Amino acid sequence: MLSKEQVKKICAGIKNARIGIIGDFCVDIYWHADMTKSELSRETPHYPLPIVGERVYLGAGGNVASNLAALSPKELIPISLIGGDWRGMLMEDIFEKSGMNRDFVIKVPDRFTNAYCKPMRKGISELEYEDPRLDFDNYEPISKETEDKVIENLRKISGNIDVLCVADQFRFGIITKRVRDEIIALAKSGLTVIADSRYNIGEYTDCILKPNEVECWRAVYNNEGYIDAGYDEFIEAAQLLAKKNRSTVFCTLGKRGSIVTDGDRTEKADAVLFDGEVDICGAGDTSLSAFSAAIAAKTELKTAAQFAGLASGVTVRKIGVTGTASPEAVSYTHLRAHETDS
Protein backbone atom coordinates (compact mmCIF):
# COMPACT_ATOMS: atom_id res chain seq x y z
CA MET A 1 0.00 0.00 0.00
CA LEU A 2 1.29 3.44 -0.90
CA SER A 3 1.75 5.93 1.90
CA LYS A 4 -0.15 9.20 2.05
CA GLU A 5 3.11 11.02 1.34
CA GLN A 6 3.76 8.94 -1.78
CA VAL A 7 0.30 9.69 -3.20
CA LYS A 8 0.74 13.38 -2.46
CA LYS A 9 4.18 13.42 -4.10
CA ILE A 10 2.91 11.71 -7.27
CA CYS A 11 -0.05 14.09 -7.60
CA ALA A 12 2.27 17.08 -7.13
CA GLY A 13 4.71 15.69 -9.69
CA ILE A 14 1.95 15.25 -12.28
CA LYS A 15 1.27 18.98 -12.12
CA ASN A 16 4.73 19.53 -13.66
CA ALA A 17 4.40 16.75 -16.25
CA ARG A 18 3.98 17.17 -20.00
CA ILE A 19 2.07 14.30 -21.58
CA GLY A 20 1.23 13.48 -25.18
CA ILE A 21 -1.52 11.04 -26.12
CA ILE A 22 -2.09 9.55 -29.54
CA GLY A 23 -5.07 7.32 -30.04
CA ASP A 24 -8.49 6.46 -31.36
CA PHE A 25 -10.89 8.94 -29.81
CA CYS A 26 -14.62 8.37 -29.98
CA VAL A 27 -17.83 9.81 -28.56
CA ASP A 28 -19.73 7.84 -25.91
CA ILE A 29 -23.42 8.79 -26.17
CA TYR A 30 -26.01 7.59 -23.66
CA TRP A 31 -29.67 7.92 -24.75
CA HIS A 32 -32.09 7.43 -21.84
CA ALA A 33 -35.51 6.12 -22.87
CA ASP A 34 -38.59 6.25 -20.60
CA MET A 35 -40.75 3.35 -21.83
CA THR A 36 -43.75 4.53 -19.79
CA LYS A 37 -44.07 7.30 -22.40
CA SER A 38 -43.93 4.95 -25.39
CA GLU A 39 -46.98 4.57 -27.64
CA LEU A 40 -47.50 2.00 -30.36
CA SER A 41 -46.60 3.49 -33.73
CA ARG A 42 -49.43 3.90 -36.24
CA GLU A 43 -47.08 3.25 -39.15
CA THR A 44 -45.09 0.26 -37.84
CA PRO A 45 -45.78 -2.51 -35.30
CA HIS A 46 -43.24 -1.11 -32.84
CA TYR A 47 -43.08 0.76 -29.57
CA PRO A 48 -40.46 3.50 -30.06
CA LEU A 49 -37.87 4.49 -27.45
CA PRO A 50 -38.89 7.94 -26.12
CA ILE A 51 -35.58 9.63 -25.36
CA VAL A 52 -35.84 11.87 -22.29
CA GLY A 53 -32.16 12.40 -21.58
CA GLU A 54 -28.79 12.40 -23.33
CA ARG A 55 -25.23 12.26 -21.95
CA VAL A 56 -22.11 12.67 -24.07
CA TYR A 57 -18.50 11.92 -23.14
CA LEU A 58 -15.18 11.25 -24.83
CA GLY A 59 -14.68 7.51 -25.18
CA ALA A 60 -11.95 5.01 -26.13
CA GLY A 61 -8.66 6.95 -26.38
CA GLY A 62 -10.65 10.07 -25.60
CA ASN A 63 -11.52 8.62 -22.23
CA VAL A 64 -7.80 8.11 -21.56
CA ALA A 65 -7.29 11.78 -22.44
CA SER A 66 -10.15 12.81 -20.13
CA ASN A 67 -8.59 10.79 -17.32
CA LEU A 68 -5.21 12.39 -17.96
CA ALA A 69 -6.80 15.84 -17.94
CA ALA A 70 -8.52 15.07 -14.63
CA LEU A 71 -5.09 14.47 -13.05
CA SER A 72 -4.11 18.06 -14.01
CA PRO A 73 -0.75 17.68 -15.79
CA LYS A 74 1.13 20.84 -16.75
CA GLU A 75 0.43 20.11 -20.41
CA LEU A 76 -1.66 17.51 -22.26
CA ILE A 77 -1.31 17.24 -26.04
CA PRO A 78 -3.72 14.90 -27.88
CA ILE A 79 -3.17 13.59 -31.40
CA SER A 80 -6.31 12.08 -32.87
CA LEU A 81 -8.76 12.15 -35.77
CA ILE A 82 -12.18 13.74 -36.02
CA GLY A 83 -14.72 13.33 -38.82
CA GLY A 84 -16.90 15.89 -40.54
CA ASP A 85 -20.22 14.68 -39.12
CA TRP A 86 -22.57 15.46 -36.22
CA ARG A 87 -20.58 13.22 -33.91
CA GLY A 88 -17.50 15.26 -34.81
CA MET A 89 -19.40 18.39 -33.82
CA LEU A 90 -20.13 16.78 -30.44
CA MET A 91 -16.45 15.89 -30.01
CA GLU A 92 -15.34 19.40 -30.91
CA ASP A 93 -17.77 20.79 -28.34
CA ILE A 94 -16.33 18.50 -25.64
CA PHE A 95 -12.80 19.58 -26.58
CA GLU A 96 -13.76 23.23 -26.35
CA LYS A 97 -15.44 22.85 -22.94
CA SER A 98 -12.56 20.77 -21.53
CA GLY A 99 -9.90 23.25 -22.60
CA MET A 100 -7.78 20.48 -24.16
CA ASN A 101 -5.17 21.45 -26.74
CA ARG A 102 -6.66 20.84 -30.22
CA ASP A 103 -3.65 21.93 -32.29
CA PHE A 104 -2.76 18.36 -33.27
CA VAL A 105 -6.27 16.89 -33.66
CA ILE A 106 -6.72 16.24 -37.39
CA LYS A 107 -10.08 16.76 -39.08
CA VAL A 108 -10.81 14.22 -41.83
CA PRO A 109 -14.15 15.21 -43.42
CA ASP A 110 -14.71 11.94 -45.32
CA ARG A 111 -14.40 9.65 -42.27
CA PHE A 112 -16.77 8.74 -39.47
CA THR A 113 -16.15 10.19 -36.06
CA ASN A 114 -16.07 6.97 -34.07
CA ALA A 115 -18.95 6.68 -31.61
CA TYR A 116 -20.56 4.24 -29.22
CA CYS A 117 -24.27 5.08 -28.89
CA LYS A 118 -25.96 3.36 -25.95
CA PRO A 119 -29.78 3.34 -25.66
CA MET A 120 -30.65 2.92 -21.96
CA ARG A 121 -34.21 1.64 -21.45
CA LYS A 122 -36.23 2.12 -18.26
CA GLY A 123 -39.87 1.41 -17.39
CA ILE A 124 -41.98 1.42 -14.24
CA SER A 125 -39.46 -0.33 -12.00
CA GLU A 126 -35.97 0.92 -11.08
CA LEU A 127 -34.41 -1.57 -13.50
CA GLU A 128 -32.49 0.05 -16.36
CA TYR A 129 -30.66 -1.86 -19.05
CA GLU A 130 -28.72 -1.15 -22.20
CA ASP A 131 -30.12 -2.07 -25.61
CA PRO A 132 -27.69 -3.32 -28.29
CA ARG A 133 -25.11 -0.59 -28.79
CA LEU A 134 -24.91 1.39 -32.03
CA ASP A 135 -21.29 1.62 -33.17
CA PHE A 136 -20.08 4.16 -35.71
CA ASP A 137 -16.75 2.82 -36.92
CA ASN A 138 -14.50 3.06 -39.95
CA TYR A 139 -13.73 -0.01 -42.05
CA GLU A 140 -11.14 1.53 -44.35
CA PRO A 141 -7.57 2.59 -43.46
CA ILE A 142 -6.75 6.27 -43.18
CA SER A 143 -5.28 7.88 -46.31
CA LYS A 144 -1.54 8.30 -46.80
CA GLU A 145 -2.06 12.06 -46.59
CA THR A 146 -3.66 11.72 -43.15
CA GLU A 147 -0.99 9.22 -42.11
CA ASP A 148 1.73 11.71 -43.10
CA LYS A 149 0.05 14.41 -41.02
CA VAL A 150 -0.16 12.11 -37.98
CA ILE A 151 3.57 11.31 -38.23
CA GLU A 152 4.39 15.00 -38.68
CA ASN A 153 2.42 15.85 -35.53
CA LEU A 154 4.16 13.08 -33.58
CA ARG A 155 7.55 14.48 -34.50
CA LYS A 156 6.46 18.01 -33.58
CA ILE A 157 5.38 17.12 -30.05
CA SER A 158 8.00 14.47 -29.24
CA GLY A 159 10.61 16.94 -28.02
CA ASN A 160 8.16 18.75 -25.74
CA ILE A 161 6.70 15.87 -23.70
CA ASP A 162 7.88 13.63 -20.88
CA VAL A 163 5.73 10.65 -21.88
CA LEU A 164 3.80 9.57 -24.96
CA CYS A 165 0.68 7.57 -24.13
CA VAL A 166 -0.68 5.34 -26.93
CA ALA A 167 -4.34 4.26 -26.98
CA ASP A 168 -4.57 1.95 -30.02
CA GLN A 169 -8.14 0.62 -30.11
CA PHE A 170 -9.66 0.34 -33.60
CA ARG A 171 -8.60 -1.95 -36.43
CA PHE A 172 -8.75 0.94 -38.92
CA GLY A 173 -7.83 3.79 -36.63
CA ILE A 174 -5.06 6.34 -36.32
CA ILE A 175 -2.31 3.80 -35.52
CA THR A 176 -1.27 2.32 -38.86
CA LYS A 177 1.90 0.27 -39.27
CA ARG A 178 3.81 3.39 -40.40
CA VAL A 179 2.55 5.36 -37.41
CA ARG A 180 3.44 2.50 -35.06
CA ASP A 181 6.92 2.29 -36.58
CA GLU A 182 7.35 6.02 -35.90
CA ILE A 183 6.22 5.55 -32.30
CA ILE A 184 8.73 2.74 -31.83
CA ALA A 185 11.49 4.85 -33.42
CA LEU A 186 10.71 7.65 -30.94
CA ALA A 187 10.92 5.13 -28.08
CA LYS A 188 14.27 3.88 -29.32
CA SER A 189 15.53 7.46 -29.48
CA GLY A 190 14.79 7.95 -25.78
CA LEU A 191 11.15 9.06 -25.49
CA THR A 192 9.20 7.18 -22.82
CA VAL A 193 6.30 5.50 -24.63
CA ILE A 194 3.51 3.64 -22.85
CA ALA A 195 1.40 1.65 -25.31
CA ASP A 196 -2.01 0.06 -24.88
CA SER A 197 -3.55 -1.79 -27.83
CA ARG A 198 -6.67 -3.93 -28.10
CA TYR A 199 -5.42 -5.94 -31.09
CA ASN A 200 -1.73 -5.16 -31.66
CA ILE A 201 0.09 -5.01 -28.31
CA GLY A 202 2.49 -7.67 -29.58
CA GLU A 203 3.59 -5.36 -32.42
CA TYR A 204 5.07 -2.72 -30.10
CA THR A 205 8.72 -3.12 -29.11
CA ASP A 206 11.14 -1.11 -26.96
CA CYS A 207 8.25 0.58 -25.09
CA ILE A 208 6.40 0.14 -21.84
CA LEU A 209 3.46 -2.12 -22.73
CA LYS A 210 0.14 -1.99 -20.87
CA PRO A 211 -1.98 -5.02 -21.80
CA ASN A 212 -4.62 -6.71 -19.71
CA GLU A 213 -4.16 -10.42 -19.11
CA VAL A 214 -6.18 -11.49 -22.18
CA GLU A 215 -4.34 -9.12 -24.57
CA CYS A 216 -1.04 -10.27 -23.10
CA TRP A 217 -1.90 -13.95 -23.53
CA ARG A 218 -3.00 -13.51 -27.14
CA ALA A 219 0.16 -11.55 -27.99
CA VAL A 220 2.35 -14.39 -26.72
CA TYR A 221 0.41 -17.56 -27.55
CA ASN A 222 -1.98 -16.40 -30.31
CA ASN A 223 -4.80 -18.61 -28.99
CA GLU A 224 -7.77 -18.64 -26.61
CA GLY A 225 -6.02 -20.63 -23.87
CA TYR A 226 -6.44 -17.75 -21.44
CA ILE A 227 -9.90 -19.12 -20.61
CA ASP A 228 -8.30 -21.90 -18.56
CA ALA A 229 -5.20 -19.98 -17.48
CA GLY A 230 -4.40 -19.17 -13.86
CA TYR A 231 -2.62 -16.29 -12.16
CA ASP A 232 0.88 -17.78 -12.48
CA GLU A 233 0.35 -18.54 -16.17
CA PHE A 234 -0.66 -14.93 -16.87
CA ILE A 235 2.49 -13.74 -15.10
CA GLU A 236 4.57 -16.08 -17.24
CA ALA A 237 2.88 -14.70 -20.38
CA ALA A 238 3.75 -11.14 -19.32
CA GLN A 239 7.36 -12.15 -18.71
CA LEU A 240 7.58 -13.79 -22.12
CA LEU A 241 6.07 -10.72 -23.81
CA ALA A 242 8.60 -8.47 -22.08
CA LYS A 243 11.54 -10.54 -23.30
CA LYS A 244 10.13 -11.04 -26.79
CA ASN A 245 9.47 -7.31 -27.32
CA ARG A 246 12.45 -5.88 -25.40
CA SER A 247 9.96 -4.03 -23.25
CA THR A 248 8.74 -3.50 -19.72
CA VAL A 249 5.21 -4.91 -19.33
CA PHE A 250 2.62 -3.43 -16.99
CA CYS A 251 -0.11 -6.10 -17.10
CA THR A 252 -3.44 -5.54 -15.36
CA LEU A 253 -5.19 -8.57 -13.89
CA GLY A 254 -8.57 -7.23 -12.74
CA LYS A 255 -9.34 -8.05 -9.12
CA ARG A 256 -5.92 -9.71 -8.82
CA GLY A 257 -4.18 -6.36 -9.25
CA SER A 258 -1.32 -5.90 -11.70
CA ILE A 259 2.30 -6.78 -12.29
CA VAL A 260 5.31 -4.98 -13.74
CA THR A 261 8.00 -7.10 -15.35
CA ASP A 262 11.05 -6.76 -17.57
CA GLY A 263 11.04 -10.51 -18.15
CA ASP A 264 13.45 -11.30 -15.34
CA ARG A 265 12.30 -9.21 -12.40
CA THR A 266 8.57 -9.12 -11.62
CA GLU A 267 6.82 -6.92 -9.06
CA LYS A 268 3.19 -7.19 -8.00
CA ALA A 269 0.69 -4.48 -7.09
CA ASP A 270 -2.58 -5.34 -5.33
CA ALA A 271 -5.95 -4.14 -6.56
CA VAL A 272 -8.03 -1.74 -4.46
CA LEU A 273 -11.23 -3.61 -3.57
CA PHE A 274 -14.36 -2.35 -1.82
CA ASP A 275 -17.74 -3.91 -1.08
CA GLY A 276 -20.72 -2.90 -3.18
CA GLU A 277 -21.61 -2.49 -6.85
CA VAL A 278 -18.83 -1.82 -9.36
CA ASP A 279 -18.73 -0.99 -13.07
CA ILE A 280 -15.44 -1.96 -14.72
CA CYS A 281 -16.19 -0.10 -17.98
CA GLY A 282 -13.30 2.31 -18.54
CA ALA A 283 -11.15 0.94 -15.72
CA GLY A 284 -8.39 0.05 -18.17
CA ASP A 285 -8.40 3.60 -19.55
CA THR A 286 -8.05 5.01 -16.04
CA SER A 287 -5.23 2.58 -15.28
CA LEU A 288 -3.35 3.56 -18.45
CA SER A 289 -3.76 7.29 -17.80
CA ALA A 290 -2.80 7.17 -14.12
CA PHE A 291 0.20 4.92 -14.77
CA SER A 292 1.38 7.17 -17.62
CA ALA A 293 0.92 10.33 -15.56
CA ALA A 294 2.83 8.81 -12.64
CA ILE A 295 5.69 7.77 -14.93
CA ALA A 296 5.74 11.31 -16.38
CA ALA A 297 6.10 12.49 -12.77
CA LYS A 298 9.31 10.40 -12.47
CA THR A 299 7.69 7.68 -10.36
CA GLU A 300 9.18 4.18 -10.13
CA LEU A 301 7.35 1.47 -12.07
CA LYS A 302 5.83 -0.51 -9.19
CA THR A 303 4.76 2.68 -7.41
CA ALA A 304 3.16 3.90 -10.66
CA ALA A 305 1.29 0.59 -10.92
CA GLN A 306 0.01 1.00 -7.36
CA PHE A 307 -1.10 4.56 -8.15
CA ALA A 308 -2.91 3.26 -11.25
CA GLY A 309 -4.72 0.74 -9.06
CA LEU A 310 -5.90 3.52 -6.76
CA ALA A 311 -7.20 5.58 -9.69
CA SER A 312 -9.05 2.56 -11.11
CA GLY A 313 -10.58 2.06 -7.66
CA VAL A 314 -12.21 5.47 -8.13
CA THR A 315 -13.76 4.88 -11.55
CA VAL A 316 -15.07 1.32 -11.02
CA ARG A 317 -17.39 2.75 -8.37
CA LYS A 318 -18.91 5.20 -10.87
CA ILE A 319 -21.91 3.23 -12.14
CA GLY A 320 -23.20 3.70 -15.70
CA VAL A 321 -20.37 5.98 -16.83
CA THR A 322 -16.71 5.47 -17.68
CA GLY A 323 -15.70 8.31 -15.34
CA THR A 324 -12.41 9.93 -14.38
CA ALA A 325 -10.26 10.11 -11.24
CA SER A 326 -9.08 13.47 -9.92
CA PRO A 327 -6.13 13.77 -7.51
CA GLU A 328 -8.62 14.49 -4.70
CA ALA A 329 -10.62 11.35 -5.54
CA VAL A 330 -7.46 9.22 -5.69
CA SER A 331 -6.39 10.55 -2.28
CA TYR A 332 -9.83 9.76 -0.84
CA THR A 333 -9.75 6.23 -2.27
CA HIS A 334 -6.28 5.79 -0.76
CA LEU A 335 -7.67 6.84 2.63
CA ARG A 336 -10.59 4.42 2.37
CA ALA A 337 -8.28 1.59 1.27
CA HIS A 338 -6.11 2.18 4.34
CA GLU A 339 -9.18 2.09 6.58
CA THR A 340 -10.41 -1.14 4.96
CA ASP A 341 -6.95 -2.72 5.20
CA SER A 342 -6.66 -1.88 8.87
Side-chain angles (χ1 to χ4, degrees), residues 67-233:
N67 271 272
L68 284 167
L71 290 167
S72 301
K74 181 177 183 179
E75 189 169 13
L76 176 62
I77 308 176
I79 299 177
S80 192
L81 306 178
I82 189 168
D85 46 38
W86 63 269
R87 295 170 303 282
M89 293 171 63
L90 287 176
M91 187 178 288
E92 287 182 320
D93 184 59
I94 297 171
F95 269 117
E96 185 173 347
K97 289 177 179 176
S98 70
M100 281 190 209
N101 184 324
R102 287 184 288 170
D103 293 347
F104 301 96
V105 176
I106 304 165
K107 193 161 188 176
V108 188
D110 60 346
R111 282 179 70 83
F112 273 154
T113 302
N114 296 309
Y116 294 142
C117 302
K118 307 170 185 182
M120 307 297 294
R121 189 191 298 235
K122 190 174 181 180
I124 296 173
S125 74
E126 291 300 312
L127 175 66
E128 184 176 40
Y129 74 88
E130 183 179 332
D131 273 11
R133 200 177 66 196
L134 307 175
D135 289 1
F136 290 84
D137 203 348
N138 293 277
Y139 293 94
E140 296 291 336
I142 62 175
S143 68
K144 184 179 183 302
E145 180 184 13
T146 301
E147 196 177 46
D148 289 341
K149 185 64 177 175
V150 172
I151 292 171
E152 178 187 340
N153 285 355
L154 268 172
R155 291 172 180 170
K156 283 181 178 178
I157 74 166
S158 62
N160 299 312
I161 54 177
D162 301 304
V163 161
L164 177 66
C165 184
V166 181
D168 176 3
Q169 181 153 340
F170 297 125
R171 292 188 186 277
F172 298 99
I174 192 171
I175 313 291
T176 63
K177 183 181 184 304
R178 279 186 64 215
V179 172
R180 185 167 56 248
D181 288 346
E182 180 65 26
I183 291 169
I184 293 169
L186 290 172
K188 287 181 176 178
S189 70
L191 178 63
T192 300
V193 174
I194 301 170
D196 189 6
S197 176
R198 176 170 291 183
Y199 302 108
N200 298 308
I201 196 67
E203 302 301 317
Y204 289 87
T205 64
D206 305 282
C207 305
I208 299 174
L209 308 181
K210 189 263 160 205
N212 60 33
E213 70 270 45
V214 173
E215 294 161 347
C216 186
W217 185 277
R218 285 174 172 166
V220 173
Y221 300 115
N222 196 30
N223 63 38
E224 303 299 310
Y226 65 86
I227 294 172
D228 300 314
Y231 180 75
D232 291 339
E233 291 167 298

Side-chain angles (χ1 to χ4, degrees), residues 223-297:
N223 63 38
E224 303 299 310
Y226 65 86
I227 294 172
D228 300 314
Y231 180 75
D232 291 339
E233 291 167 298
F234 284 129
I235 291 177
E236 183 178 359
Q239 292 167 334
L240 290 172
L241 179 61
K243 289 182 177 180
K244 171 176 169 283
N245 288 39
R246 303 183 302 277
S247 299
T248 295
V249 173
F250 165 49
C251 181
T252 56
L253 298 157
K255 292 182 179 180
R256 291 170 290 191
S258 64
I259 62 166
V260 176
T261 181
D262 61 4
D264 296 315
R265 182 184 179 189
T266 300
E267 297 185 285
K268 302 176 183 179
D270 292 333
V272 177
L273 303 175
F274 297 111
D275 294 333
E277 187 179 2
V278 297
D279 181 351
I280 64 170
C281 182
D285 295 339
T286 301
S287 181
L288 172 62
S289 62
F291 181 82
S292 300
I295 293 297

